[in-house]
Amino acid sequence: MIKLRFVQSLLFFTAICFFIPKIAARGGHSDYIQPGDGNASFHGTARHLFAQEEKRPSVELTRGYMTNADLEKAMKDFTKRCSKISRLYSIGKSVNGFPLWVIEISDKPGEIEAEPAFKYIGNVHGDEPVGRELLLRLANWICDNYEKDPLAKLIVENVHLHILPSLNPDGFSVRRRNNANNVDLNRDFPDQFFLINEDLSLRQPETTAIMNWLREIRFTASATLHGGALVANFPWDGTEDKRKYYYGCPDDQTFRFLASLYSKSHRNMSFSIEFEDGITNGASWYPIYGGMQDWNYIHGGCFELTLEISDNKWPRASELPTIWEYNRKSMLNLVASLVKTGVHGRIFSLDQGKPLPGLVVVKGINYTVKAHQAYADYHRLLEPGKIYEVTASSPGYKPKTTTVWLGENAVTADFILIPEASYGGKLLRSSCDCSYGQPLLLTRFFTETNNGITFALVVVVAFLFFLLQRRVRSNLWKQRQSSRRSITV
Ligand SMILES: *[C@@H]1O[C@H](CO)[C@@H](O)[C@H](O)[C@H]1NC(C)=O
Ligand SMILES: *[C@@H]1O[C@H](CO)[C@@H](O)[C@H](O)[C@H]1NC(C)=O
Ligand SMILES: *[C@@H]1O[C@H](CO)[C@@H](O)[C@H](O)[C@H]1NC(C)=O
Ligand SMILES: [Zn+2]
């Protein structure tokens, strides 16, 4: 009888152990409202009623963590101490009026440059405070090391890094997941499949602040830091039919590369038993709707990862130094990947050499990257070790395509586009199907319109083209990395 009891308890205990990691993991990423369980989560107002309270962390656990006031002071102190490479600004206010402070780190903070921008966001969920602590450590580490550490130097010189340690200061102050209106901010974005969160009057100020931020700054990539699991999560987060399965976005390979970069640079994320290599497609783990990640990729032109950085959402503060050490290299490598990998360049017009805010597409990937409105620099993250056909276009100009073999390093590909009009006008229009490259075009042009004036024109254009290419090469694109291959198309 006693033996039976023992076996029973053992079974019970095993069952509990089996479930605990799952529950913990889901807590970080998912909701108490599950899309499959009903339609409550698909109504802006209804979700308030259904959001049950999780058990809050004890007040005692907050010891050693920065309060909101501490955080604000730490950020102000930081930008004073590191004023050469940083500035402080706010992207809006929380429901309770707390400023959503951001630190920008760059050798030219606040200036627009032909460089990619990265953003880190922490504390989207009020009861996941590890991210906000790590982000302050990251900023301070970069400031202390950018003159001696190559990676920190690379980031400061070539990237504009924006750090928002706490998106949800109101939730944090009461140790709760949701914001002050009891809304989960990571379910408050417009969704690609379901018409949720379309009502602007219901959108939370924290969410609105993020959406406006992306209109203002062109971010190439980003990551939000969550807790409750140890995994790097990538799009899509939701499926069309609400079921759970692997659902990759057009840039699945690139996202797998970025997520793996994080997990493999991490001390033990890639050793995960639950997640192969420490990465996961969001929908295959747990479909969510109205999340920030998918919205960033679809509407912000920004490749966003959701990083779950600690199984325990609210560990004791004494564990923070270890967690920081575990994540430091990952956090730096992810930002640096904006410079070290992918295809980058600028788009110019041949006629005046002016920057063109054109579009860049890669054959086989249904996604468009926009060049910057002012400087026409573009930054196309891509999985290394492959050959890509990259096309740049701009209205009124003939698109150009080039083949890029992307190795371990980034490639610079500048495009000089020829205006449609300067194509030889009427004479050529009929014989041009507008898909030839430059050399072929010139030969055709020459043979088909064999007269002196046109010939002179061709020579002049070719010469101008040559000059412009040289100018572009030498002046316009700052060649910062000797390892980076460079082509002009
Ligand atoms: C969705 O809501 C409707 C009306 O409120 C209800 O009849 C229906 O059963 C709900 N669906 C699910 C899956 O709960
Ligand atoms: C990683 O290390 C932390 C801290 O030592 C530990 O709690 C966690 O279980 C480890 N995770 C894996 C997947 O090894
Ligand atoms: C490409 O993506 C867009 C949405 O961004 C979609 O409307 C379109 O159907 C897709 N095209 C192809 C060929 O899949
Ligand atoms: Zn979270």
Side-chain angles (χ1 to χ4, degrees):
M1 195 62 198
I2 289 171
K3 234 183 175 174
L4 194 65
R5 268 269 169 81
F6 177 73
V7 172
Q8 266 181 342
S9 328
L10 199 68
L11 277 175
F12 182 68
F13 184 70
T14 318
I16 293 234
C17 286
F18 183 77
F19 278 111
I20 276 177
K22 277 246 157 73
I23 292 165
R26 290 171 151 205
H29 179 70
S30 62
D31 211 343
Y32 340 105
I33 311 159
Q34 285 142 34
D37 291 355
N39 45 25
S41 58
F42 298 104
H43 301 285
T45 46
R47 65 188 155 191
H48 300 234
L49 307 173
F50 282 78
Q52 303 149 15
E53 281 303 311
E54 267 188 346
K55 201 169 159 278
R56 289 190 201 180
S58 67
V59 179
E60 201 252 317
L61 268 182
T62 62
R63 201 173 302 148
Y65 280 86
M66 288 179 280
T67 63
N68 286 332
D70 293 340
L71 177 64
E72 184 174 42
K73 182 169 185 305
M75 292 176 79
K76 286 181 175 166
D77 288 350
F78 173 84
T79 43
K80 261 192 220 120
R81 182 170 82 87
C82 309
S83 59
K84 249 176 89 182
I85 59 151
S86 71
R87 73 174 173 125
L88 184 73
Y89 67 101
S90 154
I91 57 162
K93 280 184 177 166
S94 68
V95 172
N96 289 342
F98 207 85
L100 303 171
W101 292 115
V102 176
I103 291 172
E104 177 186 355
I105 295 181
S106 154
D107 55 353
K108 296 202 176 84
E111 277 180 47
I112 297 173
E113 294 186 274
E115 290 180 357
F118 188 100
K119 68 176 154 56
Y120 268 122
I121 300 179
N123 202 203
V124 175
H125 292 135
D127 60 349
E128 295 163 18
V130 174
R132 56 190 253 151
E133 294 280 341
L134 294 205
L135 287 176
L136 252 284
R137 281 165 205 253
L138 176 69
N140 279 293
W141 193 89
I142 291 175
C143 179
D144 293 339
N145 292 283
Y146 79 98
E147 276 165 333
K148 45 185 190 270
D149 181 85
L151 210 50
K153 188 172 183 324
L154 181 101
I155 289 170
V156 170
E157 289 180 353
N158 302 288
V159 179
H160 285 251
L161 171 60
H162 299 254
I163 296 175
L164 169 59
S166 179
L167 179 62
N168 188 3
D170 299 347
F172 172 81
S173 65
V174 290
R175 308 180 308 286
R176 183 178 77 179
R177 179 185 179 91
N178 294 351
N179 76 346
N181 288 334
N182 204 10
V183 172
D184 185 335
L185 298 175
N186 203 30
R187 305 291 183 278
D188 199 40
F189 286 81
D191 191 79
Q192 64 171 321
F193 301 124
F194 301 100
L195 285 176
I196 51 168
N197 309 327
E198 298 300 316
D199 192 340
L200 277 177
S201 63
L202 287 174
R203 180 118 54 238
Q204 298 306 306
E206 294 89 348
T207 317
T208 307
I210 297 287
M211 291 171 72
N212 291 338
W213 196 17
L214 271 109
R215 258 174 234 130
E216 214 166 278
I217 297 176
R218 188 267 318 257
F219 288 106
T220 297
S222 62
T224 46
L225 305 179
H226 289 255
L230 193 63
V231 67
N233 177 103
F234 54 90
W236 297 127
D237 256 346
T239 56
E240 251 170 302
D241 56 9
K242 299 186 199 171
R243 282 187 302 126
K244 182 181 120 160
Y245 50 87
Y246 194 110
Y247 197 36
C249 70
D251 276 296
D252 195 51
Q253 291 305 319
T254 302
F255 272 109
R256 294 186 65 89
F257 164 74
L258 292 171
S260 300
L261 179 68
Y262 197 92
S263 100
K264 286 179 179 156
S265 310
H266 188 279
R267 184 78 61 87
N268 69 356
M269 190 180 273
S270 62
F271 306 150
S272 168
I273 295 160
E274 190 183 356
F275 304 102
E276 200 182 338
D277 296 328
I279 65 172
T280 188
N281 169 264
S284 78
W285 180 20
Y286 210 118
I288 69 156
Y289 300 88
M292 193 192 301
Q293 175 185 270
D294 291 1
W295 185 87
N296 263 270
Y297 177 64
I298 298 168
H299 300 282
C302 176
F303 285 47
E304 176 154 292
L305 298 177
T306 307
L307 303 170
E308 304 279 351
I309 52 169
S310 122
D311 283 322
N312 186 351
K313 281 188 187 185
W314 203 311
R316 294 199 173 278
S318 58
E319 288 177 42
L320 290 172
T322 309
I323 300 177
W324 159 240
E325 275 312 312
Y326 276 33
N327 284 279
R328 180 167 55 84
K329 246 174 79 191
S330 301
M331 293 174 87
L332 293 165
N333 280 342
L334 189 61
V335 180
S337 74
L338 259 58
V339 182
K340 291 172 117 182
T341 56
V343 181
H344 309 256
R346 296 179 68 183
I347 306 173
F348 300 101
S349 86
L350 175 67
D351 47 349
Q352 294 153 40
K354 68 169 192 246
L356 291 176
L359 305 174
V360 175
V361 292
V362 174
K363 193 179 172 189
I365 305 177
N366 184 14
Y367 191 76
T368 304
V369 166
K370 288 183 190 149
H372 191 274
Q373 207 61 33
Y375 288 93
D377 59 313
Y378 73 89
H379 307 276
R380 185 47 170 108
L381 295 177
L382 287 163
E383 186 201 14
K386 283 192 178 163
I387 294 167
Y388 297 98
E389 236 177 76
V390 184
T391 302
S393 65
S394 187
Y397 292 81
K398 200 165 132 51
K400 270 196 187 171
T401 300
T402 185
T403 303
V404 174
W405 189 83
L406 196 59
E408 289 309 309
N409 295 318
V411 168
T412 299
D414 293 327
F415 289 89
I416 300 171
L417 303 185
I418 303 163
E420 300 271 14
S422 76
Y423 241 63
K426 289 169 200 144
L427 265 172
L428 204 67
R429 191 129 288 174
S430 55
S431 64
C432 167
D433 75 1
C434 294
S435 66
Y436 298 110
Q438 179 71 9
L440 185 58
L441 175 87
L442 286 179
T443 1
R444 273 192 153 228
F445 195 61
F446 185 57
T447 51
E448 282 173 24
T449 60
N450 195 6
N451 66 59
I453 297 166
T454 328
F455 177 69
L457 199 77
V458 167
V459 170
V460 169
V461 168
F463 184 66
L464 284 177
F465 184 72
F466 172 75
L467 281 185
L468 191 78
Q469 269 194 329
R470 278 183 50 148
R471 201 166 73 101
V472 166
R473 265 187 219 272
S474 54
N475 301 338
L476 294 171
W477 179 260
K478 274 196 272 169
Q479 194 70 28
R480 294 184 184 97
Q481 270 191 299
S482 51
S483 61
R484 192 186 263 195
R485 268 189 303 133
S486 177
I487 47 174
T488 305
V489 193

